[in-house]
Amino acid sequence: MRIPLLRPALLGLTRLLIGARASWEGGGAPTAEPDVPRLYFANHTSHLDTLAVMAALPAALRARTHPVAALDYWGGSALRRTVAVGCLNALLVDRTGKATAEVMDAMAAVLESGRSLILFPEGTRGDGTVAPFRSGLYHLAQRVPAAALVPVFIENLHRVMPKGMPLLVPLICTMRFGAPLERVGGEDKAAFLERARDALVSLSRPKPQSASQPDSQSTGQRTAR
């Protein structure tokens, strides 16, 4: 069920509480080629991760993006489902392993339609460190070779809402978007997953920002919807 104004209200509240600033550290304008399907893969530290990444994306990219969210959590109540599906256009997936083929088919169908996904390849929330990736990112990258694989490091959010903490701690959080991961022919699963994780971890060390690297002040926040 869609509720008018809920989406901009939630995204605006997210920016108010945590900033959700975007830093594009991979070069190139973030709004270039908006029709290219992108598979954003990010570290998972909080239930706010999805909202934070969506809030940081420029409007043109956000409108074409579907977060992949856990059915057992986001489908656990009518309110959560409304926020996930009705507000964020999330793709709810069963992560029990009972429907692996169906989950992969659903994610691939989104990318093959020219739209984008946000995926958290660790599979569960961490404590600020980046855990080894599960194999879904590899299989999805193999299934849809046209998709750009974009690492996104979420900084600070694990301090805003750590596991077991009922209240938010207001801190400024940054989403660091890296350059798309290059495709390497013949690369096996283990090597790919390690290289993808390394690309994400490398974004934990911020680069000096230049005038040619726009952030959310010049892209997403001013064009939010």
Side-chain angles (χ1 to χ4, degrees):
M1 179 179 66
R2 294 184 180 278
I3 302 176
L5 302 181
L6 179 59
R7 178 183 173 101
L10 276 177
L11 296 177
L13 182 60
T14 299
R15 295 189 191 100
L16 177 65
L17 291 174
I18 64 170
R21 174 182 176 274
S23 177
W24 296 84
E25 305 192 4
T31 55
E33 299 180 333
D35 57 337
V36 173
R38 300 177 184 214
L39 177 51
Y40 302 99
F41 59 97
N43 52 316
H44 194 12
T45 63
S46 165
H47 287 312
L48 291 176
D49 290 347
T50 297
L51 273 169
V53 176
M54 288 291 279
L57 283 172
L61 299 182
R62 183 169 59 247
R64 305 178 61 83
T65 299
H66 301 263
V68 176
L71 175 64
D72 56 298
Y73 181 80
W74 290 103
S77 70
L79 176 60
R80 290 177 185 171
R81 183 180 287 272
T82 297
V83 171
V85 179
C87 173
L88 299 176
N89 293 326
L91 177 66
L92 299 186
V93 299
D94 182 347
R95 57 178 180 177
T96 64
K98 297 178 180 177
T100 302
E102 289 82 356
V103 169
M104 188 59 61
D105 287 347
M107 292 192 294
V110 172
L111 294 173
E112 288 166 349
S113 72
R115 304 179 75 81
S116 299
L117 290 174
I118 300 171
L119 186 68
F120 300 98
E122 296 166 276
T124 188
R125 287 180 292 158
D127 58 2
T129 60
V130 181
F133 287 177
R134 298 185 180 181
S135 60
L137 178 64
Y138 171 79
H139 293 300
L140 194 53
Q142 293 289 307
R143 178 87 173 260
V144 191
L149 310 175
V150 181
V152 185
F153 184 79
I154 302 174
E155 181 189 59
N156 249 357
L157 204 47
H158 66 289
R159 296 188 176 94
V160 172
M161 192 177 182
K163 283 185 176 180
M165 180 70 74
L167 299 176
L168 298 180
V169 179
L171 291 171
I172 298 299
C173 300
T174 300
M175 313 301 122
R176 295 202 183 97
F177 295 82
L181 197 67
E182 293 185 2
R183 303 278 184 161
V184 177
E187 188 175 35
D188 65 25
K189 180 174 68 176
F192 171 85
L193 292 175
E194 182 176 358
R195 188 164 60 89
R197 181 182 176 278
D198 287 347
L200 181 60
V201 171
S202 71
L203 294 171
S204 66
R205 300 179 289 275
K207 298 176 182 177
Q209 190 162 24
S210 68
S212 62
Q213 294 172 325
D215 60 18
S216 58
Q217 297 303 314
S218 60
T219 55
Q221 291 193 19
R222 289 185 178 177
T223 56
R225 63 185 181 186

